[in-house]
mmCIF file of all heavy atoms in Angstrom:
data_model
loop_
_atom_site.group_PDB
_atom_site.id
_atom_site.type_symbol
_atom_site.label_atom_id
_atom_site.label_comp_id
_atom_site.label_asym_id
_atom_site.label_seq_id
_atom_site.Cartn_x
_atom_site.Cartn_y
_atom_site.Cartn_z
ATOM 1 N N ASP A 327 53.766 19.054 2.974
ATOM 2 C CA ASP A 327 53.822 19.501 1.583
ATOM 3 C C ASP A 327 53.482 18.362 0.630
ATOM 4 O O ASP A 327 52.814 18.572 -0.393
ATOM 5 C CB ASP A 327 55.216 20.048 1.274
ATOM 6 C CG ASP A 327 55.470 21.384 1.959
ATOM 7 O OD1 ASP A 327 54.494 22.118 2.206
ATOM 8 O OD2 ASP A 327 56.642 21.687 2.254
ATOM 9 N N ASP A 328 53.970 17.135 0.945
ATOM 10 C CA ASP A 328 53.609 15.975 0.114
ATOM 11 C C ASP A 328 52.099 15.775 0.128
ATOM 12 O O ASP A 328 51.482 15.461 -0.897
ATOM 13 C CB ASP A 328 54.292 14.705 0.645
ATOM 14 C CG ASP A 328 55.802 14.743 0.530
ATOM 15 O OD1 ASP A 328 56.309 15.403 -0.400
ATOM 16 O OD2 ASP A 328 56.472 14.117 1.378
ATOM 17 N N LEU A 329 51.515 15.943 1.301
ATOM 18 C CA LEU A 329 50.082 15.717 1.459
ATOM 19 C C LEU A 329 49.261 16.696 0.627
ATOM 20 O O LEU A 329 48.377 16.292 -0.130
ATOM 21 C CB LEU A 329 49.698 15.828 2.935
ATOM 22 C CG LEU A 329 48.203 15.756 3.252
ATOM 23 C CD1 LEU A 329 47.620 14.416 2.821
ATOM 24 C CD2 LEU A 329 47.970 15.981 4.753
ATOM 25 N N VAL A 330 49.536 18.006 0.752
ATOM 26 C CA VAL A 330 48.710 18.987 0.036
ATOM 27 C C VAL A 330 48.930 18.883 -1.475
ATOM 28 O O VAL A 330 48.020 19.182 -2.265
ATOM 29 C CB VAL A 330 48.974 20.430 0.528
ATOM 30 C CG1 VAL A 330 48.607 20.571 1.994
ATOM 31 C CG2 VAL A 330 50.400 20.861 0.278
ATOM 32 N N LYS A 331 50.124 18.445 -1.893
ATOM 33 C CA LYS A 331 50.348 18.241 -3.315
ATOM 34 C C LYS A 331 49.396 17.176 -3.852
ATOM 35 O O LYS A 331 48.826 17.316 -4.954
ATOM 36 C CB LYS A 331 51.797 17.825 -3.557
ATOM 37 C CG LYS A 331 52.167 17.696 -5.034
ATOM 38 C CD LYS A 331 53.643 17.356 -5.198
ATOM 39 C CE LYS A 331 54.000 17.216 -6.677
ATOM 40 N NZ LYS A 331 55.436 16.881 -6.861
ATOM 41 N N ALA A 332 49.199 16.102 -3.078
ATOM 42 C CA ALA A 332 48.256 15.061 -3.487
ATOM 43 C C ALA A 332 46.822 15.555 -3.380
ATOM 44 O O ALA A 332 45.998 15.319 -4.281
ATOM 45 C CB ALA A 332 48.455 13.810 -2.628
ATOM 46 N N LEU A 333 46.497 16.263 -2.301
ATOM 47 C CA LEU A 333 45.126 16.750 -2.108
ATOM 48 C C LEU A 333 44.704 17.701 -3.226
ATOM 49 O O LEU A 333 43.532 17.721 -3.632
ATOM 50 C CB LEU A 333 44.995 17.445 -0.757
ATOM 51 C CG LEU A 333 45.144 16.580 0.497
ATOM 52 C CD1 LEU A 333 45.127 17.444 1.743
ATOM 53 C CD2 LEU A 333 44.039 15.523 0.565
ATOM 54 N N ASN A 334 45.644 18.492 -3.727
ATOM 55 C CA ASN A 334 45.293 19.489 -4.739
ATOM 56 C C ASN A 334 45.085 18.891 -6.129
ATOM 57 O O ASN A 334 44.762 19.609 -7.068
ATOM 58 C CB ASN A 334 46.350 20.597 -4.779
ATOM 59 C CG ASN A 334 46.185 21.560 -3.621
ATOM 60 O OD1 ASN A 334 45.080 21.757 -3.122
ATOM 61 N ND2 ASN A 334 47.286 22.136 -3.171
ATOM 62 N N LEU A 335 45.263 17.589 -6.247
ATOM 63 C CA LEU A 335 44.891 16.912 -7.487
ATOM 64 C C LEU A 335 43.412 16.542 -7.497
ATOM 65 O O LEU A 335 42.873 16.094 -8.518
ATOM 66 C CB LEU A 335 45.741 15.647 -7.672
ATOM 67 C CG LEU A 335 47.245 15.880 -7.887
ATOM 68 C CD1 LEU A 335 47.982 14.551 -7.861
ATOM 69 C CD2 LEU A 335 47.500 16.611 -9.203
ATOM 70 N N MET A 336 42.734 16.715 -6.346
ATOM 71 C CA MET A 336 41.312 16.354 -6.233
ATOM 72 C C MET A 336 40.428 17.385 -6.926
ATOM 73 O O MET A 336 40.750 18.564 -6.957
ATOM 74 C CB MET A 336 40.887 16.288 -4.758
ATOM 75 C CG MET A 336 41.480 15.186 -3.959
ATOM 76 S SD MET A 336 40.637 15.021 -2.347
ATOM 77 C CE MET A 336 40.744 16.671 -1.688
ATOM 78 N N ASN A 337 39.310 16.929 -7.412
ATOM 79 C CA ASN A 337 38.218 17.809 -7.829
ATOM 80 C C ASN A 337 37.046 17.551 -6.894
ATOM 81 O O ASN A 337 36.541 16.426 -6.827
ATOM 82 C CB ASN A 337 37.796 17.523 -9.269
ATOM 83 C CG ASN A 337 38.828 18.001 -10.276
ATOM 84 O OD1 ASN A 337 39.371 19.085 -10.134
ATOM 85 N ND2 ASN A 337 39.105 17.185 -11.276
ATOM 86 N N ILE A 338 36.646 18.574 -6.154
ATOM 87 C CA ILE A 338 35.495 18.475 -5.256
ATOM 88 C C ILE A 338 34.365 19.272 -5.893
ATOM 89 O O ILE A 338 34.538 20.449 -6.220
ATOM 90 C CB ILE A 338 35.827 19.009 -3.854
ATOM 91 C CG1 ILE A 338 36.992 18.209 -3.260
ATOM 92 C CG2 ILE A 338 34.608 18.940 -2.936
ATOM 93 C CD1 ILE A 338 37.525 18.785 -1.975
ATOM 94 N N TYR A 339 33.226 18.644 -6.058
ATOM 95 C CA TYR A 339 32.117 19.267 -6.780
ATOM 96 C C TYR A 339 30.988 19.642 -5.820
ATOM 97 O O TYR A 339 30.764 18.981 -4.803
ATOM 98 C CB TYR A 339 31.596 18.328 -7.867
ATOM 99 C CG TYR A 339 32.639 17.996 -8.912
ATOM 100 C CD1 TYR A 339 33.460 16.881 -8.776
ATOM 101 C CD2 TYR A 339 32.819 18.822 -10.020
ATOM 102 C CE1 TYR A 339 34.425 16.587 -9.731
ATOM 103 C CE2 TYR A 339 33.780 18.529 -10.980
ATOM 104 C CZ TYR A 339 34.582 17.416 -10.828
ATOM 105 O OH TYR A 339 35.538 17.122 -11.769
ATOM 106 N N PHE A 340 30.290 20.715 -6.198
ATOM 107 C CA PHE A 340 29.168 21.222 -5.408
ATOM 108 C C PHE A 340 27.953 21.348 -6.320
ATOM 109 O O PHE A 340 28.084 21.529 -7.541
ATOM 110 C CB PHE A 340 29.500 22.599 -4.813
ATOM 111 C CG PHE A 340 30.670 22.597 -3.867
ATOM 112 C CD1 PHE A 340 31.969 22.694 -4.344
ATOM 113 C CD2 PHE A 340 30.476 22.481 -2.497
ATOM 114 C CE1 PHE A 340 33.055 22.688 -3.494
ATOM 115 C CE2 PHE A 340 31.561 22.464 -1.628
ATOM 116 C CZ PHE A 340 32.850 22.574 -2.124
ATOM 117 N N ASP A 341 26.766 21.284 -5.713
ATOM 118 C CA ASP A 341 25.557 21.571 -6.470
ATOM 119 C C ASP A 341 25.626 23.010 -6.974
ATOM 120 O O ASP A 341 26.148 23.897 -6.284
ATOM 121 C CB ASP A 341 24.308 21.381 -5.604
ATOM 122 C CG ASP A 341 24.078 19.924 -5.233
ATOM 123 O OD1 ASP A 341 24.667 19.050 -5.905
ATOM 124 O OD2 ASP A 341 23.334 19.665 -4.275
ATOM 125 N N THR A 342 25.109 23.240 -8.166
ATOM 126 C CA THR A 342 25.242 24.543 -8.821
ATOM 127 C C THR A 342 24.772 25.684 -7.923
ATOM 128 O O THR A 342 23.663 25.657 -7.387
ATOM 129 C CB THR A 342 24.433 24.560 -10.127
ATOM 130 O OG1 THR A 342 24.889 23.502 -10.966
ATOM 131 C CG2 THR A 342 24.599 25.886 -10.850
ATOM 132 N N GLY A 343 25.652 26.688 -7.749
ATOM 133 C CA GLY A 343 25.297 27.885 -6.997
ATOM 134 C C GLY A 343 25.123 27.678 -5.514
ATOM 135 O O GLY A 343 24.590 28.547 -4.832
ATOM 136 N N SER A 344 25.560 26.534 -4.981
ATOM 137 C CA SER A 344 25.353 26.265 -3.563
ATOM 138 C C SER A 344 26.627 25.721 -2.930
ATOM 139 O O SER A 344 27.616 25.446 -3.616
ATOM 140 C CB SER A 344 24.208 25.263 -3.358
ATOM 141 O OG SER A 344 24.678 23.934 -3.545
ATOM 142 N N ALA A 345 26.586 25.550 -1.607
ATOM 143 C CA ALA A 345 27.709 24.972 -0.866
ATOM 144 C C ALA A 345 27.433 23.519 -0.506
ATOM 145 O O ALA A 345 28.103 22.961 0.362
ATOM 146 C CB ALA A 345 27.975 25.801 0.397
ATOM 147 N N THR A 346 26.460 22.904 -1.176
ATOM 148 C CA THR A 346 26.154 21.499 -0.929
ATOM 149 C C THR A 346 27.095 20.623 -1.750
ATOM 150 O O THR A 346 27.116 20.697 -2.979
ATOM 151 C CB THR A 346 24.701 21.183 -1.311
ATOM 152 O OG1 THR A 346 23.813 22.019 -0.560
ATOM 153 C CG2 THR A 346 24.371 19.721 -1.037
ATOM 154 N N ILE A 347 27.888 19.803 -1.068
ATOM 155 C CA ILE A 347 28.837 18.930 -1.750
ATOM 156 C C ILE A 347 28.060 17.860 -2.507
ATOM 157 O O ILE A 347 27.175 17.215 -1.956
ATOM 158 C CB ILE A 347 29.798 18.290 -0.733
ATOM 159 C CG1 ILE A 347 30.593 19.369 -0.003
ATOM 160 C CG2 ILE A 347 30.756 17.320 -1.418
ATOM 161 C CD1 ILE A 347 31.393 18.856 1.184
ATOM 162 N N SER A 348 28.399 17.657 -3.769
ATOM 163 C CA SER A 348 27.663 16.682 -4.577
ATOM 164 C C SER A 348 27.993 15.268 -4.125
ATOM 165 O O SER A 348 29.069 14.994 -3.587
ATOM 166 C CB SER A 348 27.995 16.857 -6.063
ATOM 167 O OG SER A 348 29.365 16.608 -6.295
ATOM 168 N N ARG A 349 27.054 14.364 -4.389
ATOM 169 C CA ARG A 349 27.199 12.984 -3.909
ATOM 170 C C ARG A 349 28.397 12.284 -4.532
ATOM 171 O O ARG A 349 29.000 11.399 -3.927
ATOM 172 C CB ARG A 349 25.925 12.199 -4.207
ATOM 173 C CG ARG A 349 24.683 12.738 -3.506
ATOM 174 C CD ARG A 349 23.449 11.961 -3.892
ATOM 175 N NE ARG A 349 23.454 10.620 -3.321
ATOM 176 C CZ ARG A 349 22.599 9.675 -3.678
ATOM 177 N NH1 ARG A 349 21.725 9.910 -4.627
ATOM 178 N NH2 ARG A 349 22.648 8.481 -3.116
ATOM 179 N N ASP A 350 28.760 12.667 -5.765
ATOM 180 C CA ASP A 350 29.874 11.996 -6.421
ATOM 181 C C ASP A 350 31.229 12.381 -5.827
ATOM 182 O O ASP A 350 32.248 11.807 -6.218
ATOM 183 C CB ASP A 350 29.857 12.278 -7.926
ATOM 184 C CG ASP A 350 29.787 13.753 -8.248
ATOM 185 O OD1 ASP A 350 28.922 14.433 -7.691
ATOM 186 O OD2 ASP A 350 30.595 14.232 -9.058
ATOM 187 N N SER A 351 31.259 13.348 -4.899
ATOM 188 C CA SER A 351 32.507 13.732 -4.237
ATOM 189 C C SER A 351 32.698 13.031 -2.897
ATOM 190 O O SER A 351 33.706 13.262 -2.222
ATOM 191 C CB SER A 351 32.534 15.250 -4.015
ATOM 192 O OG SER A 351 32.531 15.945 -5.244
#
Side-chain angles (χ1 to χ4, degrees):
D327 289 332
D328 295 330
L329 174 62
V330 298
K331 185 177 179 180
L333 293 174
N334 283 331
L335 294 172
M336 292 192 306
N337 288 318
I338 301 171
Y339 298 91
F340 298 84
D341 292 342
T342 303
S344 82
T346 302
I347 299 170
S348 63
R349 298 177 71 191
D350 53 310
S351 296

